[in-house]
Amino acid sequence: EVELVESGGGSVQPGGTLRLSCEASERTWKLSFCMAWFRQAPGKEREEVAGIDADGKIKLASFAKNRFTISKDNDKNTLILEMNDVDSYDAATYTCAADGGPGRQGTWFYGLCPWDFRYWGRGTQITVSS
């Protein structure tokens, strides 16, 4: 069963807006305490973008503050990332992740997410060009 499927990537102009979605399986949605977005640009390491826990607490990477918003649509089992004022540094493959509930301990998003992420989507690519 495919657990996480991202959508919404594509090309955007500098300063533009993009909305990414990640649809989770019912099981993954219900079991997960923490869900998040990561990104990886070519030649760079994967980095945290935004995380949200089951209580709705949010942590954003410093580059995402005041520009990106993470939210959950519980009716659709969907994790959303709203990206505003996109710039060239945001060009990357964005991947959705879910911890699937208690597991191996980890420290993600400044301690918001206490377990490693067991489920990962395949990613959706964003390019930024004028």
Side-chain angles (χ1 to χ4, degrees), residues 14-87:
T17 298
L18 211 58
R19 186 175 190 265
L20 304 184
S21 297
C22 171
E23 185 174 354
S25 67
E26 184 80 14
R27 174 179 169 275
T28 298
W29 190 261
K30 287 185 175 180
L31 290 178
S32 293
F33 174 73
C34 208
M35 297 189 71
W37 288 96
F38 291 78
R39 74 181 187 183
Q40 187 169 19
K44 295 187 177 181
E45 293 188 356
R46 186 171 60 197
E47 59 182 347
E48 300 175 353
V49 177
I52 183 169
D53 72 9
D55 299 322
K57 295 179 183 176
I58 291 170
K59 289 292 185 182
L60 297 169
S62 56
F63 62 79
K65 291 180 180 178
N66 300 318
R67 297 194 302 131
F68 295 180
T69 303
I70 186 171
S71 60
K72 297 168 71 176
D73 185 337
N74 291 312
D75 292 334
K76 298 180 179 179
N77 297 347
T78 298
L79 182 70
I80 297 164
L81 184 69
E82 301 271 5
M83 303 170 63
N84 298 302
D85 194 22
V86 174
D87 62 33

